[in-house]
């Protein structure tokens, strides 16, 4: 891609954003050198990598690439047999730590293969070699860049033990000399000069004190003398220091030889980690931009759905729908200044460059981009990053260059084509340029104010108008792109709104040609028709959504009725069978009694009593049946309901609380636990509210406590930021309220933190009698930061 288009379309700013997401300097280098490709296979491969990395981030969180060093020079030295220093070996160890961490993130821990569903990154993660034995050996032997562990080798440990013994002897001897020669000393201290232990002797005693002079003070009053008694010990210490360094070099050489056996693995690990850093940087950028993977073709088709310019504030940017290449190959965009024409050009160009660079684009799923060999852009107005205001000659110089190079595999973007000169000549030039590009089937987007170009688009096949919508009432652009409708400059309408006298505006209208005015009027009528059609379409869509919602509700109710019908019928059959059995048993018992009385000449009084009992039993059954029938047929009136009443929803078989009063159609909302549903008066019946009476009080009306909580109890409580005492107090009251509101389960948000709050919550739940069970949240519920509680 040409450098000018990359700068003009602000592709470099996207690369700067991408680079900040890389964790290593080598990953940032790959980001900085990323350029759009015209190889469809490579583009799809990079897009797949970005998508797979994004899926892993969404599933497992971000991965850190910190701690990775450039070990390539060290690997080269190992290949030629050189030994590495302690710092270089520690860098190898740091890289191997990062390799182990990232391999585990990828699902390959080395112990058990926690294999996720395979994707384009699986092979890279699987190929990483943490070289744990080598890494552990380096950590065992090297404490820091300046310190080698005593246990690095037996010989080094022995030498350091001898050094400590010799040091102790020297200090013992020097302490004895200090005590016996106090008068000769300048200070009662032991010092070092040239790596040897010395004492500060006054200059007047230098000939009386036996030893070797190593240094003197700046004033000459103090001589630093190595006592003769410790010269031999100092010599031994010097020899031991040399042996220590030799042993350290042996240790480093052994570690280097061990690392040299794995140079291929180390090299592969470094390059793979760098590539993964680059891929995950692209995925992180996609997540930040809420971007998606586009589809690609080589047919010159562009279909961007709700595309957003990635450099405009996400809260302010207006998404656009734009397509080109299927029914038309050229799009001419018109409309007032600051209406979004230039942003549209830059959005199409920039998203094309991003897509061909393997980056996701900020647009809806299944947006489609074409693979172009080149993208050319002539954008030089005040909105351009490259220059503040282009002259006609600089515009034309750029256009000439574009016309020489552009072909059918190019995307060309013109902003204000033909501007900066006489309007008549500029419009003629613009039409000729566009005609030339159109004849070569070059995908072209151009913005203009010229009415002649609007007519050209209307009269030429595979060329179409588009406009950026402008609200004349508010004098503000809506930034919506309308394909198929030419735009107006709205100069007269805007001037009138701003207070320009009507007679001036009418005079201006008389000065333009009748044909131009008719054309502008036609555009206005088309625009008014479009607005009306859009409103009607929105109303139709709303009606369709409402119908669909009602259909779903009806289907849901029918399903509930069907599922309950079988249960109700079975219950009725069971109840009828039970009643029949009871009646049969009672009848059999009565017959046996009568037979017994007939045989024994029974008491008439007993027989009459038995007859009365039978009548009473039949009467009570009939009364119960009649009462049940009356209850079923009893309808609930709207005047009998008030917010907070307990009702039974017949179709759902659930008990709930009235949230709203019925409307004119008899529809109202009922809260049933966490479910809030709209039902009709005919589908509910009032139920008696449960009451609680104090055990030692009389049964008076004032002693009753209603068991109905408001429907506003939220199914979750957030305890983050509270102390344990504050949290438990709030939690205790919340659990009581939730239980009394018949919520089947609730969510307690306590966060991860140190775990103290979580442990306190779990301990409290164990002691709460009406808690049936509780568990830590699962994936998508908040993980270990929440606890799900189920009531009895």
């Amino acid at each position: 891609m040409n450098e000018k288009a990359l700068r003009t379309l602000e592709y470099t700013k996207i690369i700067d954003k991408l680079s900040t997401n890389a964790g290593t300097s080598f990953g940032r280098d790959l980001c900085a050198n990323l350029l759009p490709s015209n190889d469809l296979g490579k583009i799809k491969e990079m897009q797949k990598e970005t998508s797979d990395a994004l899926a892993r981030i969404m599933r497992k969180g971000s991965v850190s690439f910190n701690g990775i060093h450039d070990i390539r020079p060290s690997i080269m030295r190992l290949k030629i047999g050189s030994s590495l220093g302690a710092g270089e070996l520690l860098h190898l160890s740091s890289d191997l730590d990062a390799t182990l961490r990232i391999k585990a993130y990828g699902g390959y821990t080395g112990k058990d293969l926690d294999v996720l569903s395979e994707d384009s990154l699986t092979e890279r993660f699987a190929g990483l070699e943490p070289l744990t034995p080598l890494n552990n050996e380096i950590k065992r032997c090297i404490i820091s860049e300046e310190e080698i562990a005593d246990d690095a080798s037996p010989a080094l440990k022995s030498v350091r033990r001898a050094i400590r013994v010799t040091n102790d002897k020297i200090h013992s001897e020097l302490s004895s000399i200090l005590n016996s020669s106090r008068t000769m000393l300048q200070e009662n201290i032991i010092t070092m000069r040239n790596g040897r232990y010395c004492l500060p002797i006054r200059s007047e005693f230098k000939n009386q004190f036996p030893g070797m002079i190593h240094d003197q003070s700046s004033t000459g009053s103090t001589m630093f003398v190595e006592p003769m008694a410790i010269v031999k010990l100092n010599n031994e210490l010097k020899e031991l220091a040399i042996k220590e360094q030799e042993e350290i070099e042996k240790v480093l050489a052994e570690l280097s030889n061990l690392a040299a056996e794995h140079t291929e693995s180390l090299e592969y690990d470094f390059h793979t980690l760098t590539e993964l850093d680059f891929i995950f940087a692209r995925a992180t950028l996609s997540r930040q931009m809420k971007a998606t993977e586009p589809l690609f073709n080589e047919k010159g088709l562009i279909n961007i759905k709700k595309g957003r310019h990635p450099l405009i504030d996400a809260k302010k940017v207006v998404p656009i729908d734009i397509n080109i290449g299927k029914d038309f190959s050229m799009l001419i965009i018109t409309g007032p200044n600051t209406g979004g024409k230039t942003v549209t050009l830059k959005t199409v160009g920039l998203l094309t460059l991003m897509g061909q660079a393997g980056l996701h684009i900020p647009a809806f799923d299944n947006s489609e981009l074409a693979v172009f060999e080149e993208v050319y852009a002539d954008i030089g107005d005040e909105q351009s990053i490259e220059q503040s205001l282009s002259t006609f000659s600089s515009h034309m110089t750029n256009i000439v260059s574009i016309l020489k190079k552009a072909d059918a595999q190019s995307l060309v973007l013109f902003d204000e084509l033909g501007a900066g000169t006489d309007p008549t000549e500029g419009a003629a030039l613009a039409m000729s340029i566009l005609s030339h590009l159109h004849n070569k089937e070059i995908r072209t987007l151009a913005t203009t104010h010229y009415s002649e170009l609007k007519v050209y688009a209307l009269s030429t096949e595979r060329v179409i108008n588009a406009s950026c919508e402008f609200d004349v009432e508010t004098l503000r652009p809506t930034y919506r792109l309308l394909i198929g409708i030419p735009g107006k400059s709205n100069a007269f309408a805007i001037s009138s709104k701003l207070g320009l006298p009507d007679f001036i505006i009418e005079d201006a209208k008389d000065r333009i040609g009748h044909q131009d005015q008719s054309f502008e009027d036609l555009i206005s009528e088309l625009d008014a028709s479009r607005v009306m059609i859009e409103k009607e379409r929105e109303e139709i869509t709303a009606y369709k959504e409402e119908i669909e919602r009602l259909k779903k509700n009806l289907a849901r109710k029918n399903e509930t009725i069907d599922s309950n019908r079988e249960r109700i019928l079975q219950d009725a059959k069971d109840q009828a069978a039970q009643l029949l059995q009871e009646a049969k048993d009672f009848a059999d018992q009565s017959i046996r009694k009568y037979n017994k009385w007939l045989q024994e000449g029974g008491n008439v009084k007993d027989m009459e009593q038995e007859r009365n009992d039978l009548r009473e039993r039949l009467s009570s059954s009939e009364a119960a049946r009649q009462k049940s029938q009356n209850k079923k047929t009893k309808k609930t009136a709207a005047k009998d309901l008030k917010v907070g009443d307990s009702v039974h929803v017949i179709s759902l078989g659930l008990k709930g609380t009235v949230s709203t009063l019925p409307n004119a159609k008899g529809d109202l909302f009922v809260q049933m636990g966490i479910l809030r549903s709209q039902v009709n008066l005919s589908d509910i019946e009032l139920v008696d509210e449960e009451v609680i009476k104090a055990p030692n009080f009389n049964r008076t009306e004032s002693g009753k406590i209603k068991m109905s909580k408001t429907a506003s109890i939220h199914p979750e409580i957030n305890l983050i930021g509270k102390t344990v005492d504050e949290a438990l107090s709030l939690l205790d009251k919340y659990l009581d309220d939730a239980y009394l509101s018949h919520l089947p389960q609730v969510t307690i948000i306590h966060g991860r933190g140190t775990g103290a709050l979580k442990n306190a919550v779990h301990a409290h739940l164990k002691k709460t009698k009406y808690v049936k069970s509780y568990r830590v949240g699962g994936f998508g519920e908040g993980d270990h930061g929440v606890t799900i509680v189920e009531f009895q």
Side-chain angles (χ1 to χ4, degrees), residues 405-477:
K405 300 174 183 176
D407 56 24
Q409 302 302 317
S410 302
L411 174 64
V412 178
L413 308 171
F414 288 130
D415 189 31
E416 300 294 350
L417 182 61
T421 186
D422 178 75
T424 303
E425 295 180 355
L429 276 173
M431 278 194 290
S432 297
I433 292 168
L434 293 178
S435 179
H436 171 72
L437 296 173
H438 180 56
N439 292 335
K440 296 176 69 174
E441 278 293 317
I442 298 174
R443 304 296 183 268
T444 306
L445 282 81
T447 68
T448 184
H449 285 288
Y450 294 140
S451 296
E452 291 88 343
L453 294 185
K454 302 175 191 177
V455 176
Y456 171 76
L458 289 171
S459 60
T460 307
E461 289 186 4
R462 291 187 61 75
V463 180
I464 196 168
N465 276 302
S467 60
C468 290
E469 190 179 48
F470 188 87
D471 190 342
V472 180
E473 295 298 323
T474 61
L475 298 183
R476 291 180 180 275

Side-chain angles (χ1 to χ4, degrees), residues 468-688:
C468 290
E469 190 179 48
F470 188 87
D471 190 342
V472 180
E473 295 298 323
T474 61
L475 298 183
R476 291 180 180 275
T478 64
Y479 301 107
R480 290 179 58 206
L481 183 69
L482 308 173
I483 295 179
I485 301 174
K488 291 184 61 179
S489 64
N490 292 302
F492 293 154
I494 293 173
S495 300
S496 177
K497 284 286 183 182
L498 294 176
L500 190 67
D502 293 340
F503 70 89
I504 295 180
I505 294 174
E506 292 300 325
D507 183 62
K509 288 181 178 179
D510 293 338
R511 293 177 183 274
I512 65 174
H514 177 72
Q515 185 176 357
D516 292 336
Q517 186 172 353
S518 298
F519 182 71
E520 291 296 319
D521 291 341
L522 177 61
I523 292 176
S524 297
E525 291 174 5
L526 287 173
D527 191 54
S529 299
R530 176 192 60 79
V531 172
M532 183 178 67
I533 291 170
E534 285 188 353
K535 287 183 178 178
E536 291 177 351
R537 185 184 297 130
E538 290 175 359
E539 291 177 359
I540 292 171
T541 302
Y543 288 143
K544 285 183 177 179
E545 291 176 353
E546 179 67 15
I547 292 169
E548 189 64 28
R549 185 183 65 80
L550 292 174
K551 283 175 62 179
K552 288 181 179 178
N553 288 342
L554 181 59
R556 187 163 56 249
K557 288 181 179 180
N558 288 337
E559 288 176 5
T560 305
I561 292 171
D562 291 340
S563 62
N564 288 338
R565 180 185 291 114
E566 295 298 327
R567 178 179 57 79
I568 293 170
L569 288 175
Q570 186 60 44
D571 290 346
K573 289 178 181 178
D574 294 341
Q575 188 175 2
Q578 183 180 356
L579 290 173
L580 286 172
Q581 186 63 41
E582 289 177 357
K584 183 177 179 299
D585 293 342
F586 189 79
D588 290 343
Q589 184 180 1
S590 298
I591 291 170
R592 282 194 299 272
K593 287 181 180 180
Y594 278 105
N595 289 334
K596 181 180 178 182
W597 289 329
L598 289 173
Q599 292 174 3
E600 298 177 355
N603 190 344
V604 176
K605 184 178 179 181
D606 292 337
M607 295 173 67
E608 187 63 29
Q609 181 63 40
E610 181 68 18
R611 188 181 298 110
N612 290 335
D613 290 343
L614 183 58
R615 288 197 191 99
E616 288 179 6
R617 188 178 184 90
L618 291 172
S619 298
S620 62
S621 297
E622 179 63 22
R625 188 189 67 80
Q626 190 64 32
K627 182 179 179 182
S628 175
Q629 185 68 24
N630 292 338
K631 184 177 179 182
K632 289 180 182 177
T633 57
K634 182 180 178 182
K635 294 184 179 180
T636 303
K639 62 181 181 179
D640 297 333
L641 286 177
K642 59 181 181 296
V643 175
D645 281 349
S646 295
V647 295
H648 177 73
V649 182
I650 299 170
S651 62
L652 300 179
L654 296 175
K655 182 180 177 183
T657 305
V658 175
S659 297
T660 63
L661 293 177
N663 59 19
K665 297 180 180 179
D667 294 331
L668 68 155
F669 281 94
V670 176
Q671 186 77 32
M672 294 161 283
I674 61 172
L675 173 66
R676 187 172 187 262
S677 179
Q678 185 181 33
V679 298
N680 193 270
L681 276 172
S682 60
D683 194 30
I684 64 171
E685 58 183 7
L686 278 167
V687 298
D688 294 332

